[in-house]
Amino acid sequence: MNYLKNVATLKLNKEICIGCGKCLIVCPHEVFALCDDKANIINLDACMECGACVKNCPVNALSVKTGVGCASGILSGLLGGKEACCDKGGCCV
């Protein structure tokens, strides 16, 4: 699922990334891939800004501001009869 184009606030500092892959494991929408032993953002528009990747990065190479993507995750969950998901709700972590 893609949200609004080019609005996600997710940022990755490749210089400090150690390539542990935790962001790939916890991301619910496959936003990341490992290339050359570093994380890469491969689908920014799929980011729902839940914050799971940020909370699980051991070297703080990621940052994200909860915003439109998170709100969309909450609304989609509620309207779809599923658990609403945002880092404030704790379901993505």
Side-chain angles (χ1 to χ4, degrees), residues 2-82:
N2 285 333
Y3 295 99
L4 300 174
K5 292 220 176 266
N6 301 316
V7 298
T9 59
L10 178 65
K11 303 282 186 238
L12 167 65
N13 183 337
K14 284 188 183 183
E15 291 183 25
I16 61 174
C17 175
I18 59 171
C20 69
K22 288 185 180 179
C23 54
L24 281 79
I25 295 167
V26 300
C27 180
H29 291 164
E30 299 177 350
V31 171
F32 301 96
L34 281 182
C35 300
D36 299 323
D37 296 322
K38 298 280 183 172
N40 284 277
I41 298 172
I42 60 166
N43 192 359
L44 181 64
D45 293 335
C47 178
M48 62 186 248
E49 298 177 323
C50 70
C53 58
V54 174
K55 288 183 178 184
N56 285 279
C57 180
V59 294
N60 299 314
L62 293 159
S63 66
V64 70
K65 293 180 183 175
T66 315
V68 174
C70 182
S72 181
I74 291 171
L75 292 173
S76 294
L78 292 173
L79 295 173
K82 298 177 183 173

